[in-house]
Amino acid sequence: DAGAIAGQGDTVTYGHLADRAGRLAARLKAAAGWGRRDGRLPRVGILASRGIDACAGVLAASWAGATYVPIGLKSPEERIITLLDACDCSAVIADAAGARLLTDRVLSACPPLVIHSGPAPRTSPPDGVDLAAAASLPSAVITPPESIEADDVAYIIFTSGTTGIPTGVVISAASVRHYITMITGYLGLGSDDRVLESCELNFDFSVHNMFATWEAGAALHILPAAGAMNAVKFAQQSGLTVWNSVPSLAGMSRQLKVLQDGCLPGLRLTVFGGEQLPAGTVAAWQRAAPNSAIYNLYGPAEATVFCLGQLVTSPVPLTPGRDVVSIGTPLPGSEAAVVDGDGRPVPADTLGELASGGVQVAVGYLVDA
């Protein structure tokens, strides 16, 4: 009966979320040819904005013993087609916004099963594509999720990196399981927490937001897609205790002059990640949320969300010569070194490249998997 997700004017309990995910999972498992291909799990594309439907889709894919593949709604038609082709998905789950992107060309590139929320796409599906409405799925008996192995793939997330070309990063179940267990304990998340979700599914910060929240039995409060300018007000109205976001969201609130001293007294924990954290943003946040611990976390998609970080103390730990908070030290289970172009560690106080290791390192890229 505890709240699992609040968003879109609705609150979903863990029981209702399980029912919704279970019905979707049952439909996935009933699809023709469902199951492993050449030893790998089936793959499910999630074409959805952050919201209850997106969360249910992610859980359903995992529940059905599949790899989930988030596809951003801001992707142009050609990119959606490219990603669907690259992933060789067995099904697609789309929310109402995602369903509007199911054009003739996209549907022609879709796998045999497409489950959608909201109104049906205006176009008719091509032969061989089953277009199923999520609302019409029969109730399912709640059964345990399908068992998967540690080296099975939990999700594939696409990043453009520095090339502008979509690159699929393949993350194993073992890496995600370690991360969820580690970060929940590291941050001290609890069942009474009310946690901000400010990220889209195709940004791996969302993995942290969803699964660490649910691991703790807490409630995930989803910031509306158009609500960035009102994030502080949203936090106040929702009674948030945990803030998760990129630093620029706090910076925007500061620029809009809505980040006033003492305006977020209920926050006990703030997690910034995904971008450089300016010292000025930290100072303003400390005044606005005087009861909140602040963590600066860092990690590329290839290292399963965050692999380095630190609690921001006073004085604020800055990167030498720059007005930004340093990224800290390896989180439990990860390791890091600064190396030269040949991969050899460099002396202290010497510039080099950051190398990361440990259980959270990705399986590889989609072309390798």
Side-chain angles (χ1 to χ4, degrees):
D1 295 328
I5 312 174
Q8 300 160 312
D10 191 14
T11 298
V12 176
T13 66
Y14 276 88
H16 288 149
L17 179 60
D19 177 70
R20 188 178 298 199
R23 288 188 288 114
L24 288 167
R27 182 64 185 87
L28 291 173
K29 292 168 66 175
W34 183 262
R36 292 180 181 266
R37 299 181 188 175
D38 300 323
R40 70 165 172 81
L41 300 181
R43 296 168 179 169
V44 177
I46 310 292
L47 187 60
S49 59
R50 61 176 179 259
I52 294 172
D53 290 335
C55 291
V58 167
L59 286 172
S62 302
W63 197 314
T67 298
Y68 82 89
V69 184
I71 302 173
L73 294 188
K74 294 183 180 179
S75 302
E77 182 182 67
E78 201 61 46
R79 176 163 174 151
I80 294 174
I81 292 170
T82 298
L83 298 190
L84 288 172
D85 179 64
C87 291
D88 187 24
C89 290
S90 296
V92 167
I93 296 176
D95 67 357
R100 290 194 287 271
L101 301 180
L102 296 175
T103 62
D104 287 339
R105 292 191 65 222
V106 171
L107 279 171
S108 295
C110 280
L113 175 62
V114 177
I115 306 174
H116 67 89
S117 302
R122 297 177 182 178
T123 184
S124 298
D127 291 341
V129 175
D130 182 3
L131 203 56
S136 67
L137 298 179
S139 297
V141 176
I142 301 301
T143 57
E146 289 292 315
S147 295
I148 60 173
E149 302 299 325
D151 58 357
D152 280 327
V153 177
Y155 66 84
I156 300 171
I157 200 154
F158 282 87
T159 173
S160 296
T162 57
T163 65
I165 300 172
T167 302
V169 179
V170 179
I171 302 294
S172 73
S175 294
V176 183
R177 179 69 264 172
H178 168 81
Y179 179 78
I180 296 167
T181 303
M182 177 276 297
I183 204 67
T184 304
Y186 179 79
L187 296 175
L189 297 174
S191 60
D192 292 334
D193 280 319
R194 295 176 295 280
V195 182
L196 176 66
E197 169 60 284
S198 61
C199 304
E200 296 295 340
L201 288 184
N202 61 330
F203 179 20
D204 68 346
F205 203 155
S206 67
V207 176
H208 169 99
N209 295 342
M210 290 187 294
F211 289 105
T213 297
W214 297 328
E215 177 80 358
L220 188 67
H221 288 252
I222 299 174
L223 180 69
M229 291 190 294
N230 297 314
V232 169
K233 183 177 181 180
F234 178 83
Q236 295 167 333
Q237 294 176 336
S238 302
L240 295 185
T241 61
V242 179
W243 176 289
N244 296 325
S245 83
V246 292
S248 56
L249 184 60
M252 178 189 300
S253 299
R254 183 185 177 198
Q255 290 177 345
L256 293 172
K257 301 187 184 304
V258 296
L259 193 65
Q260 300 295 317
D261 291 0
C263 68
L264 294 171
L267 285 185
R268 68 169 196 85
L269 175 64
T270 298
V271 175
F272 288 127
E275 299 170 347
Q276 292 182 351
L277 177 56
T281 297
V282 170
W285 196 263
Q286 288 173 325
R287 295 192 299 270
N291 302 313
S292 178
I294 301 174
Y295 283 85
N296 185 38
L297 302 184
Y298 165 85
E302 291 87 345
T304 311
V305 195
F306 299 124
C307 58
L308 288 90
Q310 66 178 322
L311 175 66
V312 178
T313 56
S314 182
V316 176
L318 300 179
T319 300
R322 303 171 67 187
D323 198 29
V324 296
V325 179
S326 59
I327 60 176
T329 56
L331 298 178
S334 292
E335 53 187 335
V338 181
V339 299
D340 61 20
D342 295 321
R344 295 173 299 194
V346 300
D349 299 320
T350 304
L351 293 176
E353 294 183 303
L354 178 63
S356 180
V359 68
Q360 290 178 208
V361 174
V363 174
Y365 296 104
L366 185 58
V367 292
D368 305 318

